[in-house]
């Protein structure tokens, strides 16, 4: 087959300064992995998300096996988080920079390209996979993803 499937994951975080901050615990934050569309809940195809934090956290590795795929912690500063998403017999690693500044909510979209078996094609597209030619350039992928994740303008 001369096509692939794109899966788009929304990864983000929210943060607020603690009313009574302690050393190295100045902010409370929440990091999450969500679907790019409410029509395609992650519970339909994601088995688990393993969040891997900086080694200074008490629990630097946290596994979430159902929605919401999110964790909450207290901390300070900036660090890179890794999220291993197990879905449809695949595991992908997503990297995301956590920035702990006052009252912020940030997110980004991460795209994973998969070469499905012919028998999996329908199932993958039914849970939100976006078909794209294998020959698609990086720019083609970005345009296709943007077409899908941007809200439709009112007609």
């Amino acid at each position: 087959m001369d096509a692939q499937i794109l899966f788009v994951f929304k990864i983000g975080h929210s943060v607020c300064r603690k009313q009574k901050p302690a050393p190295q615990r100045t902010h409370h934050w929440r990091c999450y992995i969500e679907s790019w569309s409410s029509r395609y809940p992650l519970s339909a195809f994601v088995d688990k998300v393993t969040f891997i934090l900086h080694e200074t956290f008490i629990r630097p590795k946290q596994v979430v096996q159902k929605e919401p795929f999110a964790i909450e912690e207290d901390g300070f500063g900036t660090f890179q988080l890794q999220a291993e998403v197990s879905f449809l017999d695949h595991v992908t690693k997503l990297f995301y920079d956590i920035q702990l500044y006052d009252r912020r909510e940030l997110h980004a979209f991460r795209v994973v390209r998969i070469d499905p078996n012919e028998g999996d094609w329908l199932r993958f597209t039914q849970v939100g996979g976006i078909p794209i030619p294998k020959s698609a350039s990086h720019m083609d992928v970005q345009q296709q993803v943007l077409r899908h994740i941007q809200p439709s303008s009112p007609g």
Side-chain angles (χ1 to χ4, degrees):
M1 187 171 275
D2 191 34
Q4 293 178 310
I5 298 282
L6 302 178
F7 280 94
V8 181
F9 296 95
K10 180 179 176 181
I11 183 169
H13 77 285
S14 58
V15 61
C16 66
R17 186 162 178 78
K18 293 179 71 166
Q19 288 184 350
K20 295 182 180 181
Q24 300 184 353
R25 303 276 183 246
T26 58
H27 292 78
H28 183 77
W29 58 270
R30 177 182 185 270
C31 183
Y32 59 87
I33 306 276
E34 294 178 348
S35 175
W36 61 272
S37 170
S38 60
R39 291 185 322 194
Y40 304 110
L42 294 186
S43 60
F45 65 98
V46 171
D47 299 315
K48 69 179 179 179
V49 174
T50 303
F51 292 92
I52 301 170
L53 311 177
H54 191 271
E55 62 193 24
T56 56
F57 282 89
I58 294 170
R59 293 178 43 221
K61 186 175 183 178
Q62 299 181 34
V63 179
V64 181
Q65 296 183 311
K66 63 181 182 175
E67 282 190 286
F69 293 103
I71 59 169
E72 291 190 36
E73 286 285 346
D74 292 334
F76 73 103
T78 300
F79 66 95
Q80 187 174 70
L81 172 142
Q82 178 180 321
E84 294 177 355
V85 182
S86 301
F87 70 106
L88 301 171
D89 300 325
H90 296 275
V91 176
T92 191
K93 293 179 181 181
L94 308 177
F95 295 91
Y96 182 76
D97 291 327
I98 298 284
Q99 301 172 358
L100 300 180
Y101 300 109
D102 296 345
R103 298 187 186 273
R104 293 191 88 171
E105 186 164 342
L106 302 170
H107 70 268
F109 292 95
R110 300 291 190 256
V111 178
V112 179
R113 286 175 98 148
I114 293 179
D115 291 312
N117 296 325
E118 200 166 319
D120 290 331
W121 188 262
L122 180 61
R123 179 171 64 115
F124 285 16
T125 57
Q126 287 175 335
V127 295
I130 303 168
I132 192 158
K134 278 187 180 182
S135 60
S137 69
H138 183 69
M139 182 65 77
D140 294 336
V141 169
Q142 285 182 328
Q143 290 173 350
Q144 184 74 353
V145 168
L146 285 174
R147 251 193 310 278
H148 280 82
I149 65 174
Q150 288 179 335
S152 304
S153 55

